[in-house]
Amino acid sequence: MSMIPFIANISPQEKNHWLERLNHVLPEISVIASDELDDDQCETARVAIVANPDPTELQRFTQLIWVQSLWAGVEQMIELPALQDVTIVKMADPELATTMAEAVLTWTLYLHRNIPLYQQLQQQHVWRPLEYVSAQDRTVSVLGTGALGTAAIHRLQVMGFKVLAWSRSAKNIAGIHHFHGVGQLPELLAQTDILVSLLPLTPSTSGLMNEDRLSQLKTGASVINFSRSRIFDYQALMLLLDQRHLQHAVLDVFDQEPLNTDDPLWEHPNITVLPHISGPTSPDTASLIVQTNIRNYLADGTIPKGVNKHTGY
């Protein structure tokens, strides 16, 4: 194999940066942007590197066996007809878990130390020290206990927060009360001061945090969504914020990105909007993961473990 296609629907600058890094770590192979390949070259490709691939472009590659995604989230790719019989390998980079844990801690502290309220008081020119609550008296609940969720949980533990966790199936994490299954979700929500979502988007998590479940959160609780927007009902979230049942929401993911300039989420006084920056992929470290997976495949035909297309992860 002398060539691997790079099928990416990203900005030209980002695409060029990735191509530079990938070709640097795989000098024995030419990683080439798919739009530079002719139809015969597309037909010979058995493996591809992808980043938010265009479905139409994917149809040119009819002989793919597996694809290496540069992103951890692959829910949209699972639904693509062109990849139904293709192994989809998501990016599993330890650096991403570290970066996400850092973001979770940052915005948990933002809520824990009442920064949104202090910002509002400053705008009103009001000098009002708020009562301090210690970390050990603040319950932070993490939805999702994969690599990202587990890293975030450990970081929160170090800071002294009382941490609860939830996932679809049972899991043991040292020092953590772990809830599982939708039947145990209300018990967790009722104890939660800050809810952090790091769940993958799957058929079972889509719409999970609807109005009913959001209303089960403790009065005065706040929400951080670093997973996918379709897991939450944002209209219900705004309603509960308006009713003062919930205090604040930090949102980093949206159905439309960039978020439309006229979207009401921008102007809501109790919502912090972030431009999908909680867990950026590092080209430097991710390209080394790609290097290992590609070289193993070329050496002995080993295909990395792919996503379970039924569970979505």
Side-chain angles (χ1 to χ4, degrees):
M1 181 183 298
S2 60
M3 176 276 299
I4 292 180
F6 181 40
I7 312 172
N9 184 21
I10 54 182
S11 71
Q13 181 179 8
E14 192 175 9
K15 181 186 292 188
N16 290 336
H17 184 53
W18 274 107
L19 284 168
E20 180 182 346
R21 290 301 308 156
L22 292 167
N23 280 297
H24 176 74
V25 300
L26 290 167
E28 70 274 27
I29 302 168
S30 294
V31 181
I32 303 174
S34 61
D35 55 9
E36 297 180 8
L37 302 176
D38 60 34
D39 290 340
D40 289 339
Q41 290 173 308
C42 294
E43 286 291 330
T44 62
R46 299 294 180 268
V47 57
I49 302 169
V50 299
N52 190 32
D54 185 302
T56 302
E57 183 70 3
L58 276 173
Q59 291 176 0
R60 301 177 63 208
F61 298 85
T62 60
Q63 302 300 316
L64 289 175
I65 299 172
W66 68 282
V67 296
Q68 171 69 65
S69 174
L70 297 181
W71 311 151
V74 295
E75 66 278 352
Q76 294 180 339
M77 292 172 56
I78 290 174
E79 299 174 357
L80 297 178
L83 297 179
Q84 287 305 297
D85 299 320
V86 177
T87 299
I88 300 173
V89 180
K90 70 178 182 178
M91 177 53 60
D93 185 356
E95 181 65 23
L96 176 59
T98 300
T99 303
M100 182 62 82
E102 177 186 82
V104 168
L105 179 59
T106 297
W107 295 99
T108 296
L109 289 171
Y110 169 80
L111 296 170
H112 168 60
R113 293 303 301 263
N114 292 309
I115 305 304
L117 184 51
Y118 278 122
Q119 289 176 322
Q120 292 178 14
L121 291 173
Q122 178 181 345
Q123 293 169 359
Q124 299 165 13
H125 297 191
V126 173
W127 184 283
R128 185 198 304 165
L130 303 174
E131 181 180 358
Y132 172 72
V133 177
S134 67
Q136 65 185 5
D137 293 326
R138 189 84 75 184
T139 299
V140 182
S141 297
V142 178
L143 305 181
T145 54
L148 303 186
T150 301
I153 287 167
H154 291 327
R155 188 68 65 90
L156 292 166
Q157 281 182 300
V158 169
M159 291 302 299
F161 289 105
K162 178 181 179 181
V163 185
L164 306 178
W166 181 90
S167 60
R168 194 182 69 156
S169 55
K171 186 173 182 179
N172 291 321
I173 302 176
I176 297 296
H177 187 168
H178 187 272
F179 299 80
H180 67 277
V182 293
Q184 294 186 6
L185 194 51
E187 184 180 354
L188 172 138
L189 296 174
Q191 302 176 56
T192 299
D193 294 306
I194 300 173
L195 182 72
V196 180
S197 179
L198 295 172
L199 290 166
L201 178 61
T202 70
S204 63
T205 63
S206 180
L208 179 71
M209 294 309 299
N210 55 23
E211 182 175 359
D212 179 56
R213 293 199 176 97
L214 286 169
S215 66
Q216 293 170 11
L217 283 162
K218 180 194 292 188
T219 300
S222 294
V223 170
I224 299 173
N225 186 15
F226 287 169
S227 51
R228 288 293 184 264
S229 59
R230 281 195 281 162
I231 294 172
F232 282 75
D233 182 341
Y234 281 175
Q235 293 298 316
L237 179 61
M238 285 193 288
L239 177 63
L240 290 166
L241 288 167
D242 291 339
Q243 294 173 346
R244 304 295 184 185
H245 178 72
L246 299 180
Q247 182 173 329
H248 200 86
V250 177
L251 307 178
D252 189 46
V253 286
F254 308 92
D255 289 341
Q256 176 67 42
E257 295 185 2
L259 184 63
N260 290 331
T261 56
D262 60 351
D263 194 295
L265 292 170
W266 284 110
E267 302 298 330
H268 198 287
N270 296 315
I271 291 178
T272 298
V273 171
L274 301 176
H276 205 145
I277 46 80
S278 57
T281 301
S282 166
D284 290 339
T285 57
S287 61
L288 296 177
I289 305 292
V290 177
Q291 177 196 64
T292 298
N293 290 344
I294 295 293
R295 285 181 173 170
N296 287 343
Y297 174 70
L298 295 178
D300 56 19
T302 299
I303 298 175
K305 181 181 179 181
V307 174
N308 184 318
K309 294 181 181 177
H310 296 290
T311 62
Y313 57 89

